[in-house]
Amino acid sequence: MKECCRKKPIINLQAREVLCKKHFTKYFESKVFKTIRQFNLLDKKENLGVAISGGKDSLTLLSILSKLSKQNKKIKLTAIIIDEGIKGYRDETLKTAKQFCKKNKIPLKIFSFKEEFKMPLDKMLKVLDTKPCTVCGILRRYLLNKKAKELKFTKLATGHNLDDEAQSIVMNQFKNNISASVRLGPKTGIKANKNFVQRIKPLYLCTEKEVATYAYLNKILDKFTECPNITESYRARVRDMLNDFEKNNPGTKHATVNSFLDVLPDLKKRYKNGEVNHCKICNEPASKDKCNACRLVEKFKRVK
Ligand code: SF4
């Protein structure tokens, strides 16, 4: 955004520009639409699922995609939320998500760990000696892909922003897990596979600060709720480290993501011949004979 009236500036962007509410909103929405075009995230016709959590990122994404869908009737939207069963957090965000979808007339599909795995996350964690985010991440990814296929979504949009991506890149580097990084980027997938519903990240180039500002100014959320398990996660430590770096060396997060985007095409080429197996229990995609979700469920049954 080059032009702004600078009346009541509300945000100071990285390039030392200050923007007022009206011009920031315009800047932010243009940035999201430009990301969609730049990375070819949407086709002319889509049955698009939007994975939401009831938090600022996913509801901001849903709000902008809903504007797009109103302008283009060939983009059909459905929101999908997974209720992992995290007391004091998910019950709250679920309420927010339901209200938002009702107000904006967006169909919402809700699926839960309790229904699918016969137990909410809180109870699983009492018997499994595994980090909450590891269990939650594996089972949520599994359920989202399974339900997205059942609902015949052509793509699944998620609210990941630039900060999230920078954290994932650094986490995979620190863990020497480059084969996981190949699944990052604004559009997932190394090659077309009918067992995976492709994920897209329209907020890919928007910083956390920009998303939070947009959500606040446009009254998308009135309060921010954070999962109590986040403090135990490796991601939270990387997030704090990157925030500290960004504070002292502005531009660190953009540099992390931009340099990753530079090498991503080479990484995809390198891993494109990898085999995708199918889990012998549930038939979902797996890198070994069983998928990570079925392995977890088996472990859970053994120790229960
Ligand atoms: Fe799940 Fe961890 Fe996210 Fe909480 S912070 S919702 S446990 S992945």
Side-chain angles (χ1 to χ4, degrees), residues 84 86 89-90 121 132-134 136-137 140 227-230 233:
E84 305 91 347
I86 305 171
Y89 165 64
R90 184 53 77 218
L121 182 70
C133 296
T134 307
C136 181
R140 196 179 45 198
C227 175
N229 298 322
I230 187 78
S233 72

Side-chain angles (χ1 to χ4, degrees), residues 259-293:
S259 55
F260 174 71
L261 281 174
D262 254 4
V263 297
L264 186 58
D266 294 323
L267 278 183
K268 290 200 180 205
K269 265 188 222 151
R270 183 169 157 191
Y271 286 93
K272 79 170 189 262
N273 294 326
E275 276 294 298
V276 178
N277 301 317
H278 288 103
C279 173
K280 62 183 186 188
I281 300 174
C282 69
N283 207 31
E284 283 291 297
S287 53
K288 298 183 185 139
D289 61 335
K290 291 178 200 165
C291 71
N292 286 336

Side-chain angles (χ1 to χ4, degrees), residues 31-42 48-51 57 61 65 141 155-169 172 180-189 198-206 235 257 260-261 264 268:
K31 192 171 183 178
V32 177
F33 294 137
K34 193 173 160 210
T35 304
I36 292 174
R37 287 194 304 275
Q38 182 183 345
F39 297 106
N40 239 335
L41 299 188
L42 292 175
L48 186 62
V50 185
D57 301 295
L61 174 66
L65 290 177
R141 270 195 302 278
K155 293 196 180 92
L156 186 64
T158 65
H160 291 95
N161 61 40
L162 183 124
D163 290 50
D164 298 324
E165 186 78 353
Q167 289 155 19
S168 301
I169 295 164
N172 289 339
S181 280
V182 83
R183 290 191 289 272
L184 297 176
K187 198 176 189 178
T188 61
Q198 188 169 50
R199 297 189 185 199
I200 56 167
K201 302 173 189 168
L203 303 184
Y204 193 82
L205 299 176
C206 304
R235 178 175 288 276
V257 171
F260 174 71
L261 281 174
L264 186 58
K268 290 200 180 205

